[in-house]
Amino acid sequence: MKIRIIAILSADGYLLPVDALQARRLPQKYSPDAFREQADLSLHRDSSLLSLLAERRDSSDTVYSVDATVETSEFIKGLVRYGLEDEWIVYELQEKQKSGIAFSELFRPDNWKIYNQHILSSDTICRIYRRKEV
């Protein structure tokens, strides 16, 4: 099982809506939609953490994705609490939000490394984080 979290951030570190990139011309290969399409199933705020814990124990091959939003932030905190997330796809934009859900409330960089980085436009970077090997 693999759980991928997709987050779109403002320059000052706040979550932006999932449609914040729609008006931008980005390479399809690294768009949020491309990463969502690679997943077998999408997770939502009402998805069961207990079911995911059981599935992790059973070592399934299912790939899940979840968008980091105001609505899913508590669910993502649960994923993080139980160490269920495997990958973060983080889009960083130049615009400022000034309020909202701070990315630092969800993501703790200590156990993560940048696996790949793509400059998608002059004001958009995509970073892929994966767990550090222990």
Side-chain angles (χ1 to χ4, degrees):
M1 177 178 81
K2 179 179 184 176
I3 296 178
R4 173 183 287 154
I5 301 172
I6 301 169
I8 303 171
L9 306 182
S10 63
D12 50 357
Y14 292 101
L15 291 179
L16 293 172
V18 294
D19 61 357
L21 293 174
Q22 284 183 343
R24 298 168 190 259
R25 294 185 147 200
L26 303 177
Q28 177 59 26
K29 182 177 180 179
Y30 301 112
S31 71
D33 287 340
F35 288 109
R36 288 182 199 109
E37 289 169 9
Q38 292 172 8
D40 299 310
L41 296 167
S42 294
L43 296 172
H44 305 280
R45 67 178 181 193
D46 297 326
S47 297
S48 170
L49 288 172
L50 291 175
S51 295
L52 293 170
L53 283 165
E55 189 172 340
R56 173 65 52 107
R57 187 183 62 235
D58 295 340
S59 301
S60 81
D61 292 333
T62 307
V63 176
Y64 294 98
S65 72
V66 60
D67 288 306
T69 65
V70 172
E71 293 80 21
T72 61
S73 62
E74 290 302 315
F75 173 72
I76 290 172
K77 286 178 186 177
L79 292 174
V80 171
R81 186 174 300 116
Y82 290 109
L84 290 171
E85 79 282 25
D86 298 292
E87 190 173 70
W88 288 83
I89 310 296
V90 180
Y91 296 88
E92 297 175 22
L93 283 59
Q94 294 284 328
E95 61 196 59
K96 292 194 177 196
Q97 178 80 2
K98 299 183 182 174
S99 66
I101 301 288
F103 186 58
S104 62
E105 292 179 28
L106 303 175
F107 182 74
R108 303 285 185 244
D110 301 344
N111 298 322
W112 297 89
K113 65 179 178 181
I114 296 175
Y115 172 75
N116 217 330
Q117 176 173 292
H118 307 282
I119 298 172
L120 305 179
S121 69
S122 62
D123 63 350
T124 307
I125 296 173
C126 172
R127 290 191 176 99
I128 301 171
Y129 293 87
R130 291 195 177 157
R131 286 194 184 280
K132 291 179 182 175
E133 301 293 326
V134 277

